[in-house]
Amino acid sequence: MVRIQSLQQSTNIAKLPRAEGAAHNDWFRQHEDHCLQDTRVELRNQIMDWCEDPNSKCIFWLNGMAGTGKSTISRTIALELAEKKRLAASFFFTRGKKDISHARMFFTTIAAQLAISLPVLRTAISDAIDNNADIFQQGLREQWNQLILNPLKSAPTQLIQLVVVIDALDECDSMQDIQLILQLLEEAKDLATVRIKIFLTSRPEIPIFDGFRPLSGEAYQDFILHNIPLDTINADISTFFLQKLSPLKAKHGLGTPWPDERIIEQLVERAAGLFIYAAATLRFICDGIDGPEEQLSLVLSATKSSLSATEHLDGIYTTLLQHSVLGKRGYQECEQLAGRFRQVVGSIVVMFDTMPARNLAELLQVPFKMVSRTLDSLRSVLNVPEDESQPVRLFHLSFRDFLQNSQRCSDSRFQIAEKERHTSLFRKCMMHISQLQENICDLWGPGVLITEIPDDTIQKSIPPHVQYACRYWLDHCRLGNLVEEDIRTIRQFLEEHFLHWLEGLSLIGEISNGVHTIIVLEEILSVSYNAH
């Protein structure tokens, strides 16, 4: 009987929708940086002291400007907590990455991790799923209460403290969800036996401030990352450069000392407190087409020491783009390469999910070699995996911010016009989904369950770029600049392929999103009809 109950609990827990890439130790994040042993020491000690103190406040909010190293700190804290068996769960929001750019799977993912880190909760979580058949379709409040808060309240255990790490909450795509999440998390302060604390990071943006404002002063404490004394930050950045650049000496047969103390001081001065500057500079020096000495010279000549932190970061981004993408080519070839950059990288910047380079080429309907060559020159700012089956993604959101801001990206050849890229992607998506057909997987009869269809059959019939088009064509439509011809294309698609598209959504497990899509589509077409 006990074995049957255990099996049923495991079955229920397995049903919990998990956001791919959310956890700190997810395969997707295995190459992301952690704090070096001798950096951020005082702050890390302060955070760990908060974790251990039974009287400390429920929420620790670490906020800081873009590029100040929040996510690196989060990964390091999560790793240290996991090693001490004190990590309850972790969720790293990432804008533009499908499941972790929104909150729809936030609490179900946390609940699934809690069931592993605190097995005593498994029975209560499993019962909640049994008693609420549609809990996965319910709102955040219901999921929090049923799957997390109530199981924690009823946990038959001695007093224990665990920590949930939530990184980059500002990258959640809904302001309302952000504020509701903060409101619900505050309720954890009243737990008795199992104390759950929340370590949370974000940029200091208005929706986050608005979310914290109604909370009790007893619920949270904050720490402003960019208020750490600059001398302390500079010492950490100096350590970073020394440790990371030193191995290049032996690899490239460089003289000693290299880099010398004066050069390290110049690099630290130009970083102006931004760890993202240091990381981008290091990648540019290590991965550039010229040797590290030449690459370093380009960095040092890129900006003046009197500029602000953001201006220094913009300077290094501009330098690496001009050098890596364009080089010393003639005007006509530079224009062609810049156009490819805007098409390929501009698409990556605005897309709603990541994908491998080959699938990106298929989505954009351009040769894979063109995409590959464009990406290969940008490894300082893009994570381009050696494994071609893995997705290409930005190293840091600040690069996206830079490209989309004409005030910061001073070289117009690299500026990404957001609406223009959304419009282009919408049209590419429409071309792909307009090729969908009835019974595209060539199923053997009616009434076949999705679970009975081999995954490779679905992947072959509806490849990743077509799946992306099925999911996101309307999102690109909504954010682009449509003309009358685009509206006619949508109407023709609905007349000829609407049911084929619904079949495709069903096969890839996205049919629930189809209802929302239809509602939004009706609004768009209604506005278009009234306008004409």
Side-chain angles (χ1 to χ4, degrees):
M1 183 66 179
V2 173
R3 186 174 181 181
I4 294 175
Q5 288 179 335
S6 177
L7 181 61
Q8 180 61 42
Q9 288 177 10
S10 297
T11 301
N12 281 344
I13 298 300
K15 293 177 184 177
L16 286 164
R18 293 167 171 82
E20 182 181 355
H24 76 285
N25 59 349
D26 191 276
W27 193 94
F28 165 73
R29 301 184 180 278
Q30 62 180 318
H31 299 302
E32 293 181 345
D33 290 333
H34 295 78
C35 295
L36 297 177
Q37 183 176 356
D38 298 325
T39 62
R40 302 292 203 182
V41 175
E42 185 176 343
L43 174 59
R44 286 158 53 193
N45 287 340
Q46 181 176 340
I47 296 169
M48 295 306 293
D49 287 345
W50 164 81
C51 294
E52 300 290 343
D53 184 357
N55 299 315
S56 62
K57 296 181 180 180
C58 176
I59 300 173
F60 189 114
W61 175 31
L62 180 69
N63 76 79
M65 298 182 299
T68 49
K70 300 182 296 297
S71 293
T72 303
I73 295 170
S74 292
R75 285 189 292 272
T76 305
I77 293 299
L79 180 62
E80 292 182 15
L81 288 169
E83 290 174 346
K84 294 181 177 183
K85 308 296 184 185
R86 299 294 299 278
L87 181 68
S90 59
F91 197 105
F92 282 58
F93 283 99
T94 305
R95 192 170 298 162
K97 175 62 178 168
K98 195 184 173 185
D99 296 345
I100 50 179
S101 65
H102 56 75
R104 285 190 286 279
M105 299 185 196
F106 177 69
F107 284 130
T108 56
T109 301
I110 298 295
Q113 294 182 41
L114 276 174
I116 296 172
S117 60
L118 201 59
V120 71
L121 298 181
R122 292 175 64 87
T123 299
I125 294 174
S126 175
D127 289 346
I129 296 170
D130 275 336
N131 297 331
N132 299 272
D134 61 344
I135 187 64
F136 305 145
Q137 282 72 51
Q138 292 179 13
L140 291 174
R141 185 179 299 278
E142 289 75 17
Q143 291 183 357
W144 161 256
N145 286 330
Q146 299 301 321
L147 297 174
I148 299 177
L149 187 62
N150 290 343
L152 286 169
K153 285 180 177 179
S154 61
T157 185
Q158 296 178 344
L159 180 63
I160 185 174
Q161 290 194 140
L162 295 175
V163 181
V164 175
V165 175
I166 303 170
D167 184 66
L169 182 60
D170 56 290
E171 294 188 31
C172 177
D173 62 10
S174 168
M175 291 185 292
Q176 291 82 5
D177 286 349
I178 288 173
Q179 293 167 8
L180 179 56
I181 285 171
L182 291 173
Q183 178 185 339
L184 295 173
L185 291 176
E186 182 193 21
E187 297 176 4
K189 74 180 190 303
D190 298 321
L191 291 169
T193 53
V194 179
R195 291 284 313 279
I196 292 292
K197 293 184 175 182
I198 295 92
F199 175 73
L200 184 151
T201 74
S202 77
R203 296 189 190 188
E205 295 185 350
I206 291 176
I208 308 291
F209 279 112
D210 288 346
F212 273 107
R213 190 171 290 118
L215 303 191
S216 162
E218 298 301 314
Y220 77 96
Q221 68 184 73
D222 61 357
F223 187 98
I224 302 174
L225 191 55
H226 49 271
N227 280 354
I228 293 177
L230 188 57
D231 288 346
T232 302
I233 298 174
N234 284 348
D236 287 343
I237 293 177
S238 178
T239 299
F240 173 85
F241 276 125
L242 282 169
Q243 291 193 22
K244 294 293 187 178
L245 288 176
S246 292
L248 292 179
K249 285 188 290 189
K251 181 178 179 181
H252 293 273
L254 302 175
T256 302
W258 187 93
D260 61 32
E261 186 176 339
R262 181 182 59 85
I263 289 176
I264 293 294
E265 288 177 355
Q266 288 179 281
L267 290 173
V268 170
E269 185 178 17
R270 282 164 168 76
L274 290 184
F275 278 84
I276 185 57
Y277 175 95
T281 297
L282 177 72
R283 288 192 292 267
F284 181 66
I285 293 171
C286 295
D287 300 333
I289 56 177
D290 297 323
E293 291 179 301
E294 290 79 5
Q295 298 288 108
L296 178 56
S297 295
L298 282 168
V299 169
L300 296 176
S301 62
T303 56
K304 300 176 181 178
S305 60
S306 60
L307 299 178
S308 69
T310 301
E311 288 171 327
H312 278 298
L313 183 60
D314 295 348
I316 190 62
Y317 281 151
T318 300
T319 297
L320 71 86
L321 289 177
Q322 291 175 341
H323 182 71
S324 301
V325 177
L326 306 181
K328 297 179 180 179
R329 298 176 175 87
Y331 173 80
Q332 187 172 354
E333 190 175 0
C334 282
E335 289 298 306
Q336 183 182 22
L337 291 171
R340 290 180 180 178
F341 171 87
R342 291 192 299 272
Q343 182 181 21
V344 175
V345 180
S347 297
I348 293 172
V349 162
V350 304
M351 285 172 64
F352 298 100
D353 197 6
T354 55
M355 63 174 57
R358 192 171 295 277
N359 298 129
L360 178 63
E362 292 169 333
L363 178 68
L364 300 179
Q365 297 179 304
V366 296
F368 171 65
K369 283 186 177 180
M370 188 200 90
V371 172
S372 182
R373 288 170 183 167
T374 301
L375 297 177
D376 281 343
S377 66
L378 292 166
R379 291 179 181 269
S380 300
V381 287
L382 297 177
N383 186 343
V384 186
E386 295 298 328
D387 182 353
E388 290 187 359
S389 68
Q390 298 305 310
V392 178
R393 57 192 178 89
L394 305 178
F395 272 120
H396 198 270
L397 196 61
S398 62
F399 186 55
R400 173 187 295 176
D401 296 341
F402 164 76
L403 294 175
Q404 292 182 326
N405 188 329
S406 60
Q407 300 298 314
R408 294 179 57 189
C409 184
S410 57
D411 191 331
S412 61
R413 294 173 296 184
F414 301 112
Q415 292 173 6
I416 303 302
E418 188 173 0
K419 283 188 173 295
E420 180 181 312
R421 292 313 317 153
H422 279 299
T423 303
S424 176
L425 284 167
F426 156 71
R427 291 169 182 166
K428 295 296 184 184
C429 287
M430 288 302 295
M431 294 180 68
H432 291 298
I433 61 176
S434 293
Q435 297 173 15
L436 294 171
Q437 300 175 0
E438 183 179 355
N439 194 19
I440 194 169
C441 287
D442 195 23
L443 303 180
W444 48 91
V448 176
L449 298 176
I450 297 296
T451 53
E452 296 175 345
I453 307 171
D455 186 63
D456 58 348
T457 298
I458 296 175
Q459 295 297 320
K460 182 178 179 180
S461 303
I462 313 176
H465 66 284
V466 179
Q467 293 187 27
Y468 180 91
C470 285
R471 290 186 179 105
Y472 299 115
W473 69 271
L474 189 59
D475 294 293
H476 289 301
C477 166
R478 183 170 48 85
L479 296 172
N481 282 322
L482 270 61
V483 297
E484 182 59 31
E485 184 178 349
D486 294 317
I487 300 299
R488 287 197 295 269
T489 300
I490 293 175
R491 293 185 184 279
Q492 182 178 354
F493 163 76
L494 294 176
E495 291 173 0
E496 299 177 2
H497 297 286
F498 177 69
L499 293 179
H500 304 156
W501 169 60
L502 289 182
E503 179 185 347
L505 285 178
S506 176
L507 289 166
I508 63 176
E510 295 285 341
I511 192 63
S512 60
N513 292 333
V515 177
H516 173 71
T517 301
I518 293 169
I519 294 171
V520 175
L521 181 59
E522 183 180 20
E523 293 175 356
I524 291 175
L525 294 178
S526 175
V527 170
S528 170
Y529 177 82
N530 293 332
H532 295 84

